Amino acid sequence: MSLEQLMAFSVTADHIRQEQVWETINKSGYDEPYQIRRLLTERAVRASDKRARFVGLPAYEAAGGNVLRDLFEEDGGGWLEDVTLLERLVADKLRTEAETVAAEGWKWLDVAASFPYGHDHGHRRLQGTPTDLTSDEQASFDALQAEYDALQAKYDDADELPDEVDARLGELEEALEAFANRPDVFKPAEIIHAGAFVSIDGEGGLQVERGYVRREDEAAFVAATTEPHPEASAAASVADAANHGVPPVQRATITVAGQVGADEEDDDDAIRPLLDRLVTELTAHRTLALRDSVACHPQVAMTALLHKLCVDAFYQTYTPGCLEAGVRHVQLPGQTPDLKESVSAKSIADRHAAWNADLPTDEQALWDWLAVLDDASRLALLAHCVSFGVNALFEKVDRYSGGHGVTANGLQRRLDQADRLARAVNLDMAEVGWRPTVDNYLGRVTKNRILEAVREAKGEAAVQLIDHLKKTEMAKEAERLLADTRWLPEPMRLAEMTPPSDVTDGSAQPLPEFLADDEGQVSAAGEIEPTEAVAAE
């Protein structure tokens, strides 16, 4: 054992685990020090994880948790070894914080370490008003702002800020941001019919999203907030005060999304089609990025909308509705945990919040507001709204055309249109930040798929570096090799140009190879024909 290897093993005092790792790397021959550190800490949670930052290392260690530290290299605070203890501490602290929020009188609280993208869809969002600053708070805010402005002016022309000045500016920005992010105030009549989501933000702080009305509470909310006759209103207020106390906090459990993936060895030389769920998850990323790109290209969004209207008007495609035109918000059923934190998700959320702040709170006033909006803003708002209807998702076809699912021809038509839209907005999934990782791709496919990805991106020499490894180690090393290559799996690439399939003529294009189902093939008529094995069965 070299000195560097010995130094790597010092990250843990668990001798049994050390021996297991030593045996593993001796068999594989892949015994670099960084690989040893990775294997020794793969069951732990980094101190930079938002759960660890939310609880705090002192609280974790006080509860008996052990922190692994690297004695010879920078470790970013180390690794928390007891994941079960960490999750229990997170749940306890979230529950305590939720009880404080519940005292405000909300009807329900949903509590979780994190919520998936789109968790608030279908809820009415209440418009609160920022709390007024007290005289002391206003004086403190003014003093902080004055100090911040003075430092900015003093060092405006400096090439580099002194460390102490840079640190102080950071403290001032954080303090000023706390004033800007103080909770909104809601009306008591609204609060008793609404709720809040309590979770952890990306920086490890408490995140409380207040003021959401569920669909089942909508009727009661409207009845309670509609202005009645003054005498009836006074009577209702007395009755409401007598019958409504502060509702208890909803006891929600902390849930952690599980990863479904096989770790078995696969020695079959054939490259099998990708799993349906994996393709759905990959196209969910692409759908979100495509929405974001469409929203940034108003002219493309206008063309897409006019195309939809023309198909309805000239090809007799029936779409129910008053105007027979609209955008249906498409949900993303297949998600990986990182989808909510993706660049596209944050961009869409920021844009939506900005428009929401500009729109009038009174729905009746919305028409007049839109009527005087300048053309550039109208196009930008149109593009944002149209983008929510983008659906580039792969989903399993309805084989017998008797259910409510998509047919093979319908799926092909959707994917063809998605490619056309992606070309129009110059979508590049590598450019928007997607990278293949163990969690989102490499740990979910066979060894041959992993090697094929590395071969395409780095060449045969790189493949020879990892082709002798077991599946788990191979996936991790492939993630490192592919990190800066901009390689993308097939469902995320732009397909070659094909004839348009917007209007059906009784025939269908065959699905791409990666969409072929293991249990059947797509016929020329767009139906599923069983393979020999299925037919025999």
Side-chain angles (χ1 to χ4, degrees):
M1 185 183 297
S2 68
L3 175 61
E4 289 75 14
Q5 290 174 322
L6 181 61
M7 292 162 64
F9 273 108
S10 70
V11 76
T12 180
D14 185 343
H15 297 304
I16 295 177
R17 182 62 181 153
Q18 289 173 337
E19 291 171 358
Q20 290 173 344
V21 171
W22 179 243
E23 183 179 357
T24 298
I25 64 173
N26 272 332
K27 287 182 178 179
S28 67
Y30 205 60
D31 56 0
E32 295 294 329
Y34 74 86
Q35 176 70 2
I36 296 172
R37 287 187 176 89
R38 176 182 293 175
L39 291 175
L40 289 172
T41 59
E42 66 180 353
R43 301 176 183 175
V45 174
R46 279 197 169 275
S48 57
D49 186 279
K50 70 176 186 178
R51 294 168 296 172
R53 297 171 70 176
F54 179 67
V55 171
L57 287 184
Y60 169 79
E61 291 178 307
N66 183 48
V67 179
L68 303 179
R69 299 305 301 263
D70 196 316
L71 302 181
F72 300 97
E73 290 192 5
E74 172 58 39
D75 59 14
W79 298 265
L80 283 66
E81 192 173 28
D82 194 337
V83 181
T84 303
L85 173 62
L86 174 63
E87 291 182 345
R88 179 171 62 80
L89 293 174
V90 168
D92 291 344
K93 185 172 181 179
L94 277 173
R95 190 175 298 110
T96 300
E97 297 287 358
E99 289 170 354
T100 302
V101 177
E104 299 171 11
W106 300 103
K107 181 178 181 180
W108 55 266
L109 294 176
D110 272 353
V111 184
S114 61
F115 292 102
Y117 178 80
H119 67 281
D120 56 352
H121 180 68
H123 295 65
R124 176 200 284 260
R125 181 68 190 272
L126 302 181
Q127 297 295 326
T129 57
T131 55
D132 294 329
L133 295 177
T134 65
S135 57
D136 292 340
E137 289 173 335
Q138 186 64 53
S140 177
F141 175 82
D142 293 340
L144 291 170
Q145 188 66 57
E147 183 181 356
Y148 181 84
D149 293 341
L151 286 175
Q152 285 278 57
K154 182 177 180 180
Y155 293 95
D156 187 40
D157 298 327
D159 294 333
E160 186 175 353
L161 293 175
D163 291 342
E164 63 276 8
V165 174
D166 188 38
R168 181 54 182 165
L169 283 173
E171 294 172 357
L172 292 171
E173 288 176 353
E174 185 175 347
L176 291 171
E177 187 177 356
F179 279 100
N181 295 334
R182 62 192 187 279
D184 289 341
V185 175
F186 298 89
K187 298 175 182 178
E190 297 176 335
I191 289 178
I192 62 175
H193 298 287
F197 297 98
V198 181
S199 59
I200 306 173
D201 64 24
E203 301 299 321
L206 180 68
Q207 178 171 299
V208 182
E209 302 169 271
R210 295 173 172 85
Y212 289 89
V213 180
R214 289 172 168 167
R215 289 179 179 176
E216 57 266 32
D217 297 323
E218 182 70 18
F221 172 81
V222 172
T225 55
T226 301
E227 289 292 338
H229 187 275
E231 294 181 1
S233 177
S237 298
V238 174
D240 189 64
N243 297 327
H244 292 282
V246 176
V249 63
Q250 176 173 299
R251 295 294 181 181
T253 57
I254 305 297
T255 57
V256 179
Q259 282 293 328
V260 180
D263 193 37
E264 69 276 2
E265 295 294 323
D266 190 338
D267 296 324
D268 189 355
D269 291 336
I271 297 180
R272 298 179 179 178
L274 297 176
L275 297 174
D276 289 343
R277 178 175 175 81
L278 175 58
V279 177
T280 300
E281 291 175 356
L282 295 174
T283 52
H285 269 282
R286 191 182 190 223
T287 298
L288 201 61
L290 197 53
R291 288 179 183 177
D292 189 29
S293 297
V294 169
C296 296
H297 293 74
Q299 291 299 334
V300 174
M302 177 71 81
T303 302
L305 179 59
L306 289 175
H307 173 268
K308 170 66 169 56
L309 297 176
C310 288
V311 169
D312 290 345
F314 294 97
Y315 296 99
Q316 306 303 315
T317 301
Y318 178 71
T319 303
C322 178
L323 187 60
E324 297 203 1
V327 174
R328 181 176 63 86
H329 192 132
V330 179
Q331 296 303 298
L332 307 177
Q335 295 189 22
T336 50
D338 60 341
L339 185 64
K340 184 181 178 182
E341 300 298 326
S342 66
V343 174
S344 302
K346 293 178 179 178
S347 176
I348 292 172
D350 291 344
R351 186 185 308 110
H352 194 76
W355 278 115
N356 195 48
D358 290 341
L359 293 174
T361 57
D362 182 6
E363 186 176 335
Q364 297 299 323
L366 179 60
W367 177 271
D368 294 334
W369 184 83
L370 290 172
V372 297
L373 200 62
D374 62 272
D375 288 344
S377 298
R378 288 163 64 91
L379 282 174
L381 181 56
L382 171 65
H384 177 68
C385 295
V386 167
S387 71
F388 284 106
V390 171
N391 184 357
L393 282 171
F394 165 84
E395 60 182 283
K396 202 162 187 176
V397 299
D398 181 5
R399 299 182 180 182
Y400 308 108
S401 301
H404 300 287
V406 66
T407 64
N409 185 66
L411 177 61
Q412 186 63 59
R413 180 168 178 250
R414 174 194 297 174
L415 298 178
D416 286 347
Q417 291 185 3
D419 279 332
R420 179 177 60 206
L421 204 56
R423 288 190 187 91
V425 298
N426 297 316
L427 177 66
D428 183 345
M429 289 303 301
E431 190 68 28
V432 300
W434 192 90
R435 298 291 184 269
T437 66
V438 173
D439 291 335
N440 68 18
Y441 183 79
L442 298 169
R444 314 283 300 285
V445 298
T446 63
K447 292 175 64 175
N448 287 307
R449 281 275 183 185
I450 298 174
L451 295 176
E452 186 65 20
V454 174
R455 182 177 291 110
E456 289 181 2
K458 302 285 286 188
E460 192 63 37
V463 171
Q464 295 175 5
L465 294 175
I466 64 172
D467 60 3
H468 61 284
L469 299 177
K470 290 184 178 294
K471 171 75 175 294
T472 302
E473 287 74 23
M474 180 186 290
K476 291 178 181 177
E477 289 312 305
E479 177 180 333
R480 182 178 64 84
L481 290 171
L482 296 173
D484 299 320
T485 63
R486 300 173 64 87
W487 180 87
L488 296 171
E490 294 158 86
M492 288 185 159
R493 303 174 189 173
L494 274 178
E496 296 297 325
M497 292 293 292
T498 57
S501 56
D502 292 340
V503 184
T504 62
D505 58 0
S507 63
Q509 298 292 332
L511 291 178
E513 180 181 350
F514 73 88
L515 297 180
D517 194 288
D518 288 337
E519 300 178 357
Q521 301 294 328
V522 182
S523 71
E527 298 177 348
I528 298 296
E529 297 179 343
T531 59
E532 294 180 5
V534 176
E537 182 178 343

